Amino acid sequence: MDELLESLLAERAITRVVQDYTRAVDRFDWELLRSCYWPGATDDHGTFTGDVDAFVEYLQHLMPRFERTFHQLGQILIDLDLEVGIAAAETYATAHHRIVGADGGAQDMVGGVRYVDRF
């Protein structure tokens, strides 16, 4: 029973980090975003790979072009190794970004994303 409870608590904590991450990006909350990473962590978004501070700086320059963003999380699959104290998570999401041009016209970008994380 202790291992089951430990697994459930770990899965809940990981799910909360994924939720905090998308909330931080959608609200441009850079401190919340930083709190989603361990010290020394790196992020690889394809168009960006680097440490957390560089990732936050990258988003601070990228995100103002969007009037709003919205991430809808789907399933989160978490594989735990309680003996070693690590976990792998794979999360599917839909991301919606609205760009407003200089002429006032809006363009919506919608895409499916998959987050692959190690904890």
Side-chain angles (χ1 to χ4, degrees):
M1 185 63 156
D2 289 338
E3 188 173 318
L4 175 60
L5 181 57
E6 187 177 355
S7 294
L8 292 171
L9 291 172
E11 287 185 13
R12 176 63 189 118
I14 290 167
T15 299
R16 181 57 190 248
V17 170
V18 174
Q19 292 168 338
D20 283 349
Y21 171 86
T22 57
R23 181 181 195 164
V25 171
D26 289 341
R27 295 185 178 187
F28 301 4
D29 185 338
W30 311 125
E31 291 311 307
L32 179 59
L33 182 61
R34 279 187 180 90
S35 77
C36 295
Y37 295 86
W38 285 105
T42 59
D43 193 294
D44 181 350
H45 257 71
T47 57
F48 171 89
T49 301
D51 68 23
V52 176
D53 288 332
F55 182 57
V56 169
E57 184 178 325
Y58 168 79
L59 288 181
Q60 286 174 324
H61 293 289
L62 176 72
M63 297 303 289
R65 72 184 199 164
F66 300 118
E67 177 182 72
R68 70 179 67 99
T69 66
F70 175 81
H71 291 78
Q72 178 68 49
L73 296 174
Q75 73 255 23
I76 302 174
L77 177 63
I78 300 169
D79 292 318
L80 300 169
D81 186 334
L82 296 176
E83 288 183 26
V84 179
I86 61 172
E90 184 174 309
T91 306
Y92 287 85
T94 304
H96 177 259
H97 296 60
R98 173 165 281 191
I99 301 172
V100 177
D103 63 356
Q107 178 183 7
D108 292 323
M109 298 171 32
V110 179
V113 297
R114 181 175 62 108
Y115 299 114
V116 178
D117 298 300
R118 286 180 285 165
F119 292 86

